[in-house]
Amino acid sequence: MEKFWFILLSLVLSYASSEASQCSIKGLPLVRNISELPQDNYGRAGLSHITVAGSVSHGMKEVEVWLQTFSPGSRTPIHRHSGEEVFVVLKGSGTLYLASSSHEKYPGKPQEYFIFSNSTFVIPVNDVHQVWNSNENEDLQMLAIISRPPIKVYVTSLPPSFCTSIFAVTMLFRTLLLYSYLWIETFAPPTLLNMLSRFIYNDWSMPHTAAKLKFPYFWDEQCLQEHVKDEL
Amino acid sequence: MEKFWFILLSLVLSYASSEASQCSIKGLPLVRNISELPQDNYGRAGLSHITVAGSVSHGMKEVEVWLQTFSPGSRTPIHRHSGEEVFVVLKGSGTLYLASSSHEKYPGKPQEYFIFSNSTFVIPVNDVHQVWNSNENEDLQMLAIISRPPIKVYVTSLPPSFCTSIFAVTMLFRTLLLYSYLWIETFAPPTLLNMLSRFIYNDWSMPHTAAKLKFPYFWDEQCLQEHVKDEL
Ligand SMILES: [Zn+2]
Ligand SMILES: [Zn+2]
């Protein structure tokens, strides 16, 4: 009977520590096997997301790299963000929808581009876009590379816990933030806004002002909450 | 005879325009086949380099993506730089040499790491490193992702030609810059230094102060000269 509790306790502990390692690279080797990194759909049907190098989990300050696999028919949200994004298609094919930024009040009818294995494309900053796996027979696998906004210039001279504090404050005021977007756009320093701004659209005719602020990203949410708890 | 000159002229023109497209994405489709992008060894034996998305050729401001293939025995220089770097190994295997930054006057004996297909690693900012294809039987192919330094914060409010002007000035004073490194380190704003700082070492015991400033990168040199000529 004691042995049973011991095994149960070990299981719980190992689960807890494997959970923790999803949000930190502590204890992981410098050279990591991508197929052994945590992958999840983060609540999005048909998605497999792996953070190859990320700000929350790996402490990246300037760039993030994701490996994403979309099953047939699945897709990203319609969205825009303030960082540069480069895609490298590793497997499969699909469709990129891209609404070039203009002075319209909403994205409008996007252009369609065929994307294919070994192709690459760059999403211009703040252009509204969506990627679909429109190939019924195959998964679409891509590396997505996004730049972190230039907040680092201000952060480098501050203590490392500053970033976590920003996250903490942001988590606490997230609802407030959603509704104070216009205020932020008008008064906040542009670098702070950059860090926050990933906006999601329901469709291509949704006004830019109605797009929903999505912060943190789906895959960072849980880890950020853990980091904030550790810090408080 | 006229036909001969016509063909010759066409060849020269098409060569000239294919040269130009190495340095610009004008006329290229948004979604590009990576295997059709220009590749070269840029004077480095055993290397095949493709700029998948770059600052000089694609106008990237925050991140660059390179596809590099190293034949057996070939390697990067021993070097350090101020941007973050993420590697994703696509094919083959090899060795990463990494000297963790410390308070030494030179990099010192590096640690060795085995790198392999489907592995990833992050080079911490300014840590001296080198990647070897130490596998006799196979090419080593990697995606290298580097962040651009935070110069953009200052540039965004300036006219687009400002960046080219900096490059022009830098090209003109390059020799001067090499010898004024210590002056720059002491007096220049840190962001400007960041843009310039990729340093190359002859060996692991070379003092940091003797490492050679390498700007522009091997693959940007020709295109930068063309851009500068266009601008002047
Ligand atoms: Zn995106
Ligand atoms: Zn490097």
Side-chain angles (χ1 to χ4, degrees), chain A residues 30-35 37 52-53 58-65 67 82-90 96 98 113-125 143 145-154 191, chain B residues 30-35 37 52-53 58-65 67 82-90 96 98 113-125 143 145-154 191:
Chain A
L30 184 97
V31 179
R32 297 181 271 272
N33 189 333
I34 293 179
S35 54
L37 296 178
V52 174
H58 305 73
M60 303 299 294
K61 292 200 179 73
E62 303 180 354
V63 69
E64 293 213 11
V65 180
L67 179 65
S82 52
E84 292 179 341
E85 186 167 37
V86 183
F87 283 97
V88 174
V89 182
L90 300 176
L96 162 69
L98 179 66
Y113 301 88
F114 178 65
I115 63 175
F116 50 94
S117 180
N118 209 36
S119 71
T120 184
F121 48 97
V122 175
I123 307 292
V125 169
L143 276 174
I145 294 135
I146 58 159
S147 64
R148 300 295 301 178
I151 183 92
K152 55 193 164 297
V153 172
Y154 297 82
T191 48
Chain B
L30 184 97
V31 179
R32 296 180 272 270
N33 189 334
I34 293 179
S35 55
L37 296 178
V52 173
H58 306 72
M60 304 298 294
K61 292 201 179 71
E62 303 180 353
V63 69
E64 295 211 10
V65 180
L67 179 65
S82 52
E84 291 179 343
E85 186 167 36
V86 182
F87 284 96
V88 174
V89 183
L90 300 177
L96 161 70
L98 180 67
Y113 300 89
F114 178 64
I115 64 176
F116 50 93
S117 181
N118 208 35
S119 71
T120 184
F121 49 97
V122 175
I123 307 292
V125 169
L143 275 175
I145 293 134
I146 58 158
S147 64
R148 301 293 304 177
I151 184 90
K152 55 192 162 298
V153 172
Y154 296 84
T191 49

Side-chain angles (χ1 to χ4, degrees), chain A residues 36 38 77 84 101 111 119 129 141-142 160 178 194 196 224-225:
Chain A
E36 289 171 5
E84 292 179 341
S101 65
Q111 281 208 273
S119 71
H129 58 285
Q141 188 174 58
M142 304 186 296
L178 275 169
N194 275 349
L196 308 174
L224 267 181
Q225 276 160 357

